[in-house]
Amino acid sequence: MTTLNAHTFARRDDAEAHYLALIDSAAAKARHIDPAQADVYREKLAEAKAGGGPRLTAEAKALGADPETVRNAVLRNHHRWQQHTNHVELARITAKASVRNAATAAAMHRIYHEFKGAL
């Protein structure tokens, strides 16, 4: 854990900028998906919304599952991911507002670590 002292940040604005950047970085990491995998998920979602398609049919066959079960799982997983990203975004906005209102670097440090813990 970082030790904060009077020399860690020359000015309060420096601490604020530092912790705002850390919050953005942690949020981005919490939302990150490999770009190639994100493309696959987008294609599967498009097929699921259309009622099915070759990718979902192949996945169902490989899993030995009913295509409708796979389709529903894709839609359910997409909904869960949307809830996750919404949670991260709301937590990010709230933490950044708290950092901007914090009086000290120590308070900003605490806010950042609470934010990371909530992800």
Side-chain angles (χ1 to χ4, degrees):
M1 184 172 281
T2 306
T3 301
L4 293 175
N5 61 46
H7 304 291
T8 303
F9 299 102
R11 299 174 316 141
R12 186 207 165 279
D13 290 347
D14 296 337
E16 181 178 309
H18 174 76
Y19 286 106
L20 292 176
L22 286 177
I23 288 168
D24 282 340
S25 178
K29 185 175 180 181
R31 292 184 302 240
H32 178 74
I33 298 177
D34 174 76
Q37 190 63 45
D39 287 343
V40 170
Y41 290 156
R42 274 190 288 279
E43 291 172 12
K44 287 172 65 172
L45 179 61
E47 285 188 13
K49 286 180 175 181
R55 182 181 294 274
L56 295 184
T57 301
E59 184 172 330
K61 185 177 179 181
L63 295 172
D66 177 60
E68 188 64 17
T69 301
V70 172
R71 178 183 170 273
N72 289 332
V74 168
L75 294 171
R76 194 170 43 254
N77 288 339
H78 174 71
H79 179 71
R80 284 185 193 137
W81 182 252
Q82 290 303 107
Q83 289 178 317
H84 169 73
T85 59
N86 290 339
H87 166 76
V88 170
E89 182 61 8
L90 181 58
R92 184 188 75 83
I93 290 167
T94 302
K96 288 180 78 169
S98 296
V99 164
R100 288 184 182 105
N101 291 324
T104 66
M108 294 175 198
H109 182 79
R110 178 188 49 76
I111 291 162
Y112 165 67
H113 281 281
E114 288 173 359
F115 167 72
K116 268 189 77 175
L119 298 181

